[in-house]
Amino acid sequence: MKTRRIPIGIVLCASLFVLHIQSKTVDPYKVLRVDKNASQREIQKAFHKLSLQYHPDKNKNKGAQEKFAEINNAYEILSDEDKRRNYDLYGDEKGAPGFDTGGAGDHGGYTYFTSAGPGQSGFNFGPGGMGGQGGAKSFSFSFGGPGSQSSSGFGLDDIFFNMFGGGMGSGSQFGVFGGFGGSGRSQSRSKNSGKSIPSINSQMYKKEISDKGMTWLLLSHTSTSRGIQYYESVIEVASSLDGAMKVGSINCETDASFCKNLGIYPRNAPRLFVYSLKPSGNGALVEYTDDFDVKRLKRFCHEHLPRFSKRVDLDHFDFVSQTIGGLPKVMLLSTKEDTPVIWRALSGLYRNRFVFYDAQVRDVYDPAVRRLGVDALPAIVGWLSNGEKQIFRTGISVKNLKSAIQDLSGLLDSFEKKSKKAASAQSKREQSEPEAKQIPVLIGSNFNDICGEKTPVCVIGVFRSSKARDKLEKVLLSVSQKSLSRRQYTAYGSRDSVSYALLDAARQQSILNEFDKSGYKSSEKVLLAYKPRKGKFAVFEGEVTAEDAEGFISSVLSGDVQFSNTRHNPIAK
């Protein structure tokens, strides 16, 4: 009995057609027939026109109902500013904004057929989005009919066999669809030849990957490796994380010793690894062994991005001990429940140059946020090595992940230079003006030297317990090192405009009585700003933090705080 064989071209085309039906995602701009820069009014007019044209009650043609659903879905995306912005950036209305936590989300890729001339078919793949939106690009190649070769120089049997670089030279790049070149038999027709996966050798691995702070997605393969889904997943995930992650390929056939040193052994199918930094600071390769589903791969990559930023609670964060000395510090304030991808990526790149913190806050009206002087979220606050605070940026808005990381990297570089300059100046000052690194306690013998009439402002930390004393001393030490309170006036030579002292309330209650009749007996610690010449003072009560003290003293120096007259001139015993 003679068996009838079905041509392989028919089987392949049928399979690809099923994939087309299952995976196609429609560009909302094309559906509504509007330009990508269309105004909301133009989008609304287009929607009303098309919805009337394809409404199922008026249009009984086949496919009208599906078209009407597409129109409504497109309008839902483009009429919502957030969804439209996410689609423009990521090709997906559910895409995360610049400082989101970077959930795996929908990948938004699409697959479809195009005509490639009589007897030919075409296959297109667009990673990361629809219709070329944002960073999305479309890649394509054409092939001939069953049993034939296309003008590109390869037949149907070559497509999947050569997907990962059959005949690719050791010095080549793993091209848009795996680098069909090398033997000269085939060549991809990419719309963007820049979208390629670079080949990684041992020299490049040491120079650009090992312990450099960047996360990499690495694909190991041989010339016989098969599987288009591998490449599609790699390209799409790499595009969505461009800036936070780089991608490369390792040919374990042409560079077998390199693969062996990495502990990578070739198999029939390609293998995927993420190179990431561990909490210890050392890098390691972690293999991805799950199904080659874009969402799962993206989630896996997210999990292995750096985590060198310490999550803190602003209400319990000790600004005194955590922001003085050592490396400069930076803190991200956002409403996100987890550390955003951008911040995680930066924490890896700058892990040896900065101390990273991040905190989740409710809004800009949060008291802890307002104490920091932040007026819009997300925001980045920095502290120089001497503890001086600076606002990096507030109300941060980014175009895409890559540009945001580049922009913030520039800010970090500048801040690092400023911190080094401040540390150098402080060191020189300490050498030329040696002084004990402690806040003196007021007693009868030193009162006039510290808080006498030659001192414009005397800041006094009043304590009633040893715990309160330690806290106030740290706070005043921190503030005393900052430029806001040093040498505000030149009329007094080298003398500081503000002097700092501690006062034991139990031993010097009489001094407190000269400021207030109650003597602040109900407070465990109080901050007084005393102007000896004018006989006036201002007071700050409550939980005194470094931020509170800095704000209070700044207000005192600028005159933005209410002063009261002392009852008598205070005299220490």
Side-chain angles (χ1 to χ4, degrees), residues 546-568:
E547 297 297 321
D548 294 331
E550 183 179 336
F552 173 63
I553 296 169
S554 295
S555 299
V556 168
L557 294 174
S558 62
D560 294 333
V561 67
Q562 184 176 355
F563 286 88
S564 303
N565 294 321
T566 58
R567 301 176 70 220
H568 300 93

Side-chain angles (χ1 to χ4, degrees), residues 193-213:
S193 59
K195 271 290 183 182
S196 58
I197 301 181
S199 297
I200 304 296
N201 55 33
S202 58
Q203 290 79 14
M204 184 177 178
Y205 186 88
K206 293 177 181 178
K207 184 179 179 180
E208 298 189 22
I209 299 179
S210 182
D211 297 329
K212 301 303 179 184

Side-chain angles (χ1 to χ4, degrees), residues 256-493:
S257 61
F258 175 42
C259 288
K260 184 176 180 180
N261 290 336
L262 293 178
I264 299 175
Y265 299 96
R267 297 175 182 171
N268 291 331
R271 300 173 69 184
L272 272 179
F273 297 85
V274 169
Y275 178 89
S276 65
L277 292 172
K278 302 300 179 184
S280 62
N282 297 322
L285 287 173
V286 183
E287 185 172 10
Y288 175 75
T289 57
D290 206 343
D291 295 335
F292 275 83
D293 172 78
V294 171
K295 292 182 182 179
R296 294 182 182 181
L297 178 57
K298 188 182 292 186
R299 187 179 301 113
F300 180 81
C301 292
H302 286 162
E303 291 172 355
H304 289 87
L305 288 173
R307 283 193 179 274
F308 292 98
S309 179
K310 183 178 180 181
R311 193 77 164 178
V312 299
D313 183 346
L314 280 188
D315 292 328
H316 301 94
F317 184 68
D318 188 350
F319 287 93
V320 176
S321 61
Q322 299 294 332
T323 61
I324 297 179
L327 298 172
K329 284 80 175 173
V330 286
M331 178 183 291
L332 171 68
L333 305 178
S334 74
T335 59
K336 303 305 175 185
E337 294 182 358
D338 194 12
T339 306
V341 167
I342 291 176
W343 203 241
R344 289 175 62 184
L346 288 169
S347 75
L349 293 171
Y350 288 85
R351 69 194 185 285
N352 296 323
R353 297 160 61 183
F354 284 86
V355 176
F356 283 81
Y357 299 107
D358 64 278
Q360 181 186 10
V361 295
R362 294 188 300 275
D363 49 46
V364 292
Y365 301 106
D366 189 317
V369 176
R370 302 189 70 173
R371 283 199 299 270
L372 288 171
V374 171
D375 58 6
L377 297 172
I380 299 175
V381 182
W383 288 267
L384 300 174
S385 56
N386 64 1
E388 183 176 339
K389 183 195 74 180
Q390 294 196 0
I391 305 296
F392 260 57
R393 184 171 291 180
T394 61
I396 301 171
S397 177
V398 300
K399 294 181 179 179
N400 55 58
L401 187 61
K402 185 174 182 179
S403 66
I405 290 176
Q406 291 174 342
D407 184 27
L408 293 178
S409 293
L411 289 178
L412 289 174
D413 291 338
S414 298
F415 192 70
E416 183 182 38
K417 292 178 182 178
K418 190 170 186 178
S419 182
K420 289 180 178 179
K421 187 176 180 179
S424 177
Q426 181 176 337
S427 177
K428 291 179 180 179
R429 184 169 59 245
E430 290 175 350
Q431 291 175 8
S432 61
E433 300 177 12
E435 57 183 59
K437 289 189 176 182
Q438 62 181 16
I439 303 298
V441 177
L442 286 177
I443 56 177
S445 60
N446 66 8
F447 187 87
N448 287 332
D449 291 334
I450 299 172
C451 294
E453 292 188 357
K454 292 183 179 180
T455 304
V457 179
C458 181
V459 176
I460 306 172
V462 181
F463 62 88
R464 293 186 179 276
S465 67
S466 58
K467 182 179 179 180
R469 172 179 174 165
D470 292 341
K471 176 74 173 178
L472 284 170
E473 186 168 21
K474 287 182 180 179
V475 168
L476 295 181
L477 272 173
S478 168
V479 178
S480 67
Q481 300 300 315
K482 300 183 180 182
S483 58
L484 68 94
S485 59
R486 297 183 65 84
R487 294 174 178 77
Q488 299 292 326
Y489 311 107
T490 59
Y492 299 97

Side-chain angles (χ1 to χ4, degrees), residues 68-79:
F68 183 77
E70 284 185 357
I71 292 168
N72 278 276
N73 181 62
Y75 182 70
E76 181 182 355
I77 295 172
L78 299 186
S79 62

Side-chain angles (χ1 to χ4, degrees), residues 11 52 59 86 156 418 554:
V11 175
L52 288 174
N59 193 327
N86 287 334
L156 282 172
K418 190 170 186 178
S554 295

Side-chain angles (χ1 to χ4, degrees), residues 189-258:
R189 294 194 295 109
S190 169
K191 294 183 180 179
N192 183 353
S193 59
K195 271 290 183 182
S196 58
I197 301 181
S199 297
I200 304 296
N201 55 33
S202 58
Q203 290 79 14
M204 184 177 178
Y205 186 88
K206 293 177 181 178
K207 184 179 179 180
E208 298 189 22
I209 299 179
S210 182
D211 297 329
K212 301 303 179 184
M214 174 62 72
T215 304
W216 281 75
L217 182 58
L218 299 172
L219 185 147
S220 71
H221 64 96
T222 65
S223 60
T224 58
S225 299
R226 299 169 179 262
I228 188 173
Q229 73 276 18
Y230 293 82
Y231 178 78
E232 293 178 355
S233 299
V234 171
I235 282 292
E236 187 160 350
V237 172
S239 297
S240 68
L241 291 174
D242 189 18
M245 172 180 282
K246 292 185 178 181
V247 63
S249 68
I250 302 174
N251 190 328
C252 287
E253 182 175 55
T254 60
D255 209 343
S257 61
F258 175 42

